Amino acid sequence: EVQLLESGGDLVQPGGSLRLSCAASGFTFSNYAMSWVRQSPGKGLEWVSSIWGNGYSSYYTDSVKGRFTISRDNSQNTLYLQMSSLSADDTAMYYCARSQLASPTRNAFDIWGLGTLVTVSS
Amino acid sequence: DIQMTQSPSTLSASAGDRVTITCRASQGIGTWLAWYQHKPGKAPKLLIYKASNLASGVPSRFSGSGSGTEFTLTISSLQPDDFATYYCQQYERYSTFGPGTKVDI
């Protein structure tokens, strides 16, 4: 069964850091681009970052550039999101999502995880 | 950046109704548009990709159309399981989601 399982969400203080993980199973992980999408409380979905299947290139939404880093370990079938300088605006459920192909460009997200909750508060 | 809008923001309907949701892009995106269904506590689900292609396992009562800047998602006969929030997404350049349309009773 194709599955994505996020972990690492927690309560963190403003200015703090956190690393999210997404464990993939049931498919050849390196053949697919992966992304992080978040949903703040009461709000809609917001794309955060994407990375190619080979990990060579990545993209970020403007609000997280310089603070978040997406990466992947294809030998461990795991996607990561390293987050730093966190603020209350980063409070959200964070979902990992698989693209339909190895490129994150011009491919929809066909498999999603259940999400992991990040709360930024003092 | 490409901005997405959806209308209506909320839609009240009954089982058996035909439902149409509209999505507009701030600039032309060809047919690089997807539709997702999202229920509380669940993973978002891909319904339609490339504007009109039905994703695997999605019932045929869902359909999508449009190109350029205007798109629609239609549910031909609303079922109890369809009450959810629906999002459009452009993926012509990076990715942007619309604000969502909540379909409730």
Side-chain angles (χ1 to χ4, degrees):
Chain A
E1 181 190 1
V2 174
Q3 195 171 6
L4 298 172
L5 184 62
E6 302 93 336
S7 62
D10 203 350
L11 171 63
V12 60
Q13 291 191 338
S17 299
L18 202 60
R19 188 178 83 158
L20 306 183
S21 300
C22 172
S25 59
F27 63 98
T28 303
F29 186 62
S30 59
N31 285 355
Y32 296 89
M34 298 294 296
S35 299
W36 289 97
V37 176
R38 67 185 179 184
Q39 183 175 34
S40 301
K43 300 287 183 63
L45 300 173
E46 179 189 22
W47 170 74
V48 174
S49 181
S50 296
I51 187 169
W52 280 70
N54 58 19
Y56 286 177
S57 191
S58 55
Y59 311 97
Y60 300 89
T61 193
D62 286 347
S63 63
V64 309
K65 281 181 184 174
R67 301 189 301 120
F68 289 12
T69 302
I70 191 172
S71 62
R72 62 192 296 160
D73 184 341
N74 286 345
S75 68
Q76 296 295 317
N77 295 336
T78 304
L79 175 73
Y80 301 100
L81 186 68
Q82 179 68 47
M83 306 184 293
S84 62
S85 301
L86 287 163
S87 72
D89 289 343
D90 298 312
T91 293
M93 183 70 79
Y94 283 74
Y95 299 95
C96 70
R98 188 186 82 169
S99 291
Q100 292 172 301
L101 291 171
S103 165
T105 59
R106 298 187 168 181
N107 283 294
F109 302 155
D110 63 351
I111 303 294
W112 295 65
L114 289 173
T116 187
L117 183 62
V118 174
T119 303
V120 184
S121 176
S122 55
Chain B
D1 291 0
I2 301 173
Q3 307 301 319
M4 307 299 291
T5 59
Q6 286 182 235
S7 60
S9 56
T10 305
L11 191 160
S12 295
S14 301
D17 285 353
R18 181 181 180 89
V19 166
T20 298
I21 300 169
T22 298
C23 174
R24 290 184 174 89
S26 60
Q27 63 189 74
I29 58 171
T31 56
W32 301 109
L33 185 106
W35 290 95
Y36 299 86
Q37 179 192 68
H38 193 201
K39 298 179 182 179
K42 299 287 188 69
K45 178 183 178 181
L46 176 65
L47 299 175
I48 301 286
Y49 64 96
K50 213 146 183 308
S52 61
N53 292 273
L54 202 64
S56 176
V58 174
S60 59
R61 63 181 179 272
F62 292 92
S63 63
S65 65
S67 66
T69 61
E70 188 156 334
F71 303 86
T72 59
L73 172 71
T74 299
I75 309 172
S76 60
S77 178
L78 200 65
Q79 299 301 302
D81 190 47
D82 300 338
F83 291 97
T85 299
Y86 293 84
Y87 295 92
C88 62
Q89 176 211 25
Q90 71 80 18
Y91 53 101
E92 195 275 335
R93 177 171 172 76
Y94 303 123
S95 176
T96 314
F97 290 90
T101 295
K102 184 176 182 180
V103 177
D104 60 17
I105 300 174

